[in-house]
């Protein structure tokens, strides 16, 4: 039980303390795609770490945990597994019940979101057909307002208005459409939906509570970066200003475009992204190993 308890402690530390660190790293100028991957992989690591800890509690003899902690038990028998046998059934039952309830809530929330997304997609297609617009890579609305958005899913599509085309220059219009294509290509709608579901179901965990807002901002920055790579950051900035883009994140997007130019990722950036992603994913088990190793040194000293 010691290994499972320490792993759960590591999960709690990561779940409660990582948002502030991730926020500082994001503000430090790393690419939006890298920051997005770090946020999502940290959340995935917390979920996987929790599941592994529960499995260690529920499996007979705690699965492989006994072999891993045998040396520590010999050095630290007073608080080892043999000294607390009565807690095993209670802890295992509680942990399995909690995970089962959480998994059920996640499944229900995901199914509801998917149903709403499918219904919204169908309604858009119906409205567009009634308006006379023809399905294609971009569906044009006969509306004087500047409108541009995308709908994710298997048949993802971009919706734009004639008012948008009339207000923007051809280069600015191409940049806006490139922004929306980046959303579809990067499956940003799916990632945002997963973050929203986790934030709604696991709101008591600070990491999950902050995840939807962080993902919403980062997918916009990532799409801006993709558009800026092909059309220049000033073009994307001028397009945002021309259509008076709504949302509290617009000012942040404009500042980011002022400081950063779009371009392909350099090799050191890719190495940092991969290394940071691996650290984010395995943060909880790494912290657990460190704590167990430190405890072993102290108890055997």
């Amino acid at each position: 039980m010691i290994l499972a308890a320490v792993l759960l402690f590591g999960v709690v530390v990561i779940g409660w303390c990582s948002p502030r660190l991730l926020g500082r790293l994001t503000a430090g100028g790393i690419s939006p795609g890298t920051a997005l991957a770090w946020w999502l992989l940290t959340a995935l690591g917390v979920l996987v770490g929790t599941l592994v800890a529960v499995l260690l509690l529920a499996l007979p003899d705690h699965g492989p945990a006994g072999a891993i902690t045998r040396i520590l038990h010999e050095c630290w028998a007073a608080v080892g597994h043999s000294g607390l046998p009565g807690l095993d059934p209670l802890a295992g039952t509680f942990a399995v019940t909690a995970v089962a309830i959480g998994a059920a809530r996640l499944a229900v929330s995901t199914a509801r979101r998917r149903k709403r997304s499918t219904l919204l997609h169908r309604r858009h297609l119906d409205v567009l057909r009634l308006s006379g617009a023809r399905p294609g890579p971009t569906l044009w609305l006969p509306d004087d307002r500047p409108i541009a958005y995308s709908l994710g899913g298997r048949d993802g599509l971009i919706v734009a208005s004639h008012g948008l085309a009339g207000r923007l220059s051809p280069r600015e219009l191409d940049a806006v459409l490139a922004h929306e294509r980046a959303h579809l290509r990067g499956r940003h709608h799916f990632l945002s939906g997963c973050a929203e579901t986790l934030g709604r179901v696991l709101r008591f965990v600070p990491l999950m509570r902050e995840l939807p807002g962080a993902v919403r901002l980062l997918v916009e920055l990532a799409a801006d970066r993709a558009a800026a790579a092909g059309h220049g950051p000033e073009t994307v900035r001028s397009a945002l200003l021309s259509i008076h883009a709504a949302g509290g994140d617009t000012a942040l997007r404009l500042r980011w475009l002022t400081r950063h130019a779009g371009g392909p990722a350099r090799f050191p950036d890719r190495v940092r992204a991969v290394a940071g992603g691996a650290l984010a994913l395995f943060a909880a088990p790494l912290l657990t190993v460190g704590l167990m190793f430190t405890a072993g040194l102290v108890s055997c000293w």
Side-chain angles (χ1 to χ4, degrees):
M1 190 175 74
I2 293 297
L3 181 61
V6 177
L7 181 55
L8 282 176
F9 176 76
V11 166
V12 170
V13 171
I14 300 301
W16 261 256
C17 300
S18 60
R20 180 175 298 180
L21 176 60
L22 289 168
R24 289 179 180 177
L25 291 173
T26 302
I30 62 175
S31 71
T34 297
L36 179 62
W38 288 359
W39 273 91
L40 293 172
L41 286 173
T42 303
L44 179 61
V46 168
L47 292 176
V48 172
T50 302
L51 180 60
V52 170
V54 170
L55 287 176
L56 290 177
L57 286 172
L59 288 175
D61 298 324
H62 306 309
I68 298 174
T69 58
R70 186 171 295 115
I71 296 176
L72 291 178
H73 284 187
E74 294 176 357
C75 299
W76 201 6
V79 293
H81 175 272
S82 60
L84 300 171
L87 291 180
D88 288 359
L90 179 62
T93 301
F94 175 80
V96 170
T97 302
V99 169
I101 293 174
R105 292 185 61 188
L106 278 174
V108 171
S109 182
T110 300
R112 288 177 177 174
R113 177 190 164 275
R114 185 175 181 83
K115 183 178 180 180
R116 286 196 301 267
S117 178
T118 301
L119 181 61
L120 179 63
H121 200 283
R122 290 176 178 173
R123 287 179 176 175
H124 272 79
L125 289 179
D126 291 341
V127 171
L128 291 169
R129 290 192 186 99
L130 291 175
S131 67
R134 295 182 179 180
T138 302
L139 301 176
W140 293 95
L141 285 173
D143 196 306
D144 293 334
R145 294 172 297 173
I147 298 173
Y149 59 91
S150 55
L151 295 174
R154 183 174 55 186
D155 300 320
L157 48 90
I158 298 173
V159 179
S161 67
H162 294 307
L164 178 75
R167 181 170 298 189
L168 301 180
S169 68
R171 188 173 176 82
E172 290 172 340
L173 180 60
D174 288 342
V176 171
L177 296 180
H179 174 100
E180 299 302 334
R181 284 194 294 271
H183 280 318
L184 296 177
R185 187 170 57 251
R187 298 180 61 84
H188 291 167
H189 302 85
F190 171 75
L191 298 178
S192 297
C194 290
E196 292 287 349
T197 301
L198 290 174
R200 185 181 304 112
V201 175
L202 303 176
R203 188 170 180 79
F204 60 92
V205 181
L207 172 63
M208 303 304 179
R209 188 167 59 246
E210 299 292 334
L211 186 64
V215 170
R216 281 195 301 268
L217 172 61
L218 290 171
V219 296
E220 293 300 328
L221 294 180
D224 286 342
R225 179 185 175 91
H231 303 279
E234 285 303 320
T235 303
V236 180
R237 272 180 49 83
S238 63
L240 284 173
L241 292 172
S242 296
I243 63 178
H244 305 292
D249 295 334
T250 302
L252 294 175
R253 293 170 61 187
L254 292 172
R255 285 200 298 270
W256 189 90
L257 286 167
T258 300
R259 296 194 304 264
H260 305 281
R266 295 172 296 179
F267 181 73
D269 294 333
R270 293 178 180 177
V271 172
R272 180 173 58 178
V274 172
L279 180 62
L281 180 60
F282 296 107
L286 287 175
L287 179 59
T288 300
V289 171
L291 290 174
M292 295 289 286
F293 181 75
T294 302
L297 289 180
V298 172
S299 60
C300 294
W301 189 258

